[in-house]
Amino acid sequence: MIQNTIDAIKNAEAVAEKKVEAAKTKASEMKEEMKKEADLFRSAQLEKAKEKSAQAMEETISSCNEKTKQADLQTEKEVSKINQEASEKMEGAVEAVIRTLVG
């Protein structure tokens, strides 16, 4: 009877040891799977952030190009105005020199 109890305990210990090992293996597999999923998630989030950053950069460049274009147009208008004023003053200056020389 005692031997039967001892054998039953040993058998129960062996079964328990197998269950513990199976649980450790399962936990290790789950841990690896979760790590892979986390890596995939991290990569996907990084890719989304890169795309969003690239889009923002594109919009910024476009905005800067447009502002530069507007500034160039404004500068051209101002230069044209200055040239026109200089031309008008030049005509008056030439007439004044001619009057001085003739008169």
Side-chain angles (χ1 to χ4, degrees):
M1 174 116 135
I2 293 179
Q3 187 60 40
N4 287 343
T5 303
I6 292 173
D7 289 343
I9 291 172
K10 286 183 181 179
N11 189 29
E13 286 176 343
V15 169
E17 185 68 31
K18 287 180 183 178
K19 287 182 179 181
V20 167
E21 288 302 315
K24 285 181 181 178
T25 302
K26 178 80 173 175
S28 179
E29 290 171 356
M30 289 174 67
K31 183 178 177 181
E32 280 298 312
E33 185 62 30
M34 289 174 67
K35 184 178 183 298
K36 288 178 185 176
E37 288 179 17
D39 288 343
L40 287 173
F41 179 76
R42 188 178 304 112
S43 294
Q45 291 301 313
L46 181 59
E47 189 61 34
K48 284 181 184 178
K50 284 180 181 179
E51 289 173 7
K52 190 174 182 179
S53 176
Q55 182 180 2
M57 180 63 85
E58 191 71 30
E59 290 171 2
T60 300
I61 289 171
S62 178
S63 175
C64 287
N65 287 341
E66 183 61 32
K67 288 179 181 180
T68 299
K69 187 176 179 181
Q70 290 173 0
D72 287 346
L73 288 173
Q74 184 63 31
T75 301
E76 286 178 20
K77 287 179 183 179
E78 290 176 17
V79 167
S80 179
K81 181 180 175 185
I82 291 170
N83 284 338
Q84 181 65 32
E85 291 172 356
S87 178
E88 291 171 2
K89 288 180 182 179
M90 180 62 95
E91 290 175 15
V94 169
E95 289 176 11
V97 169
I98 292 173
R99 279 193 304 263
T100 303
L101 291 175
V102 173

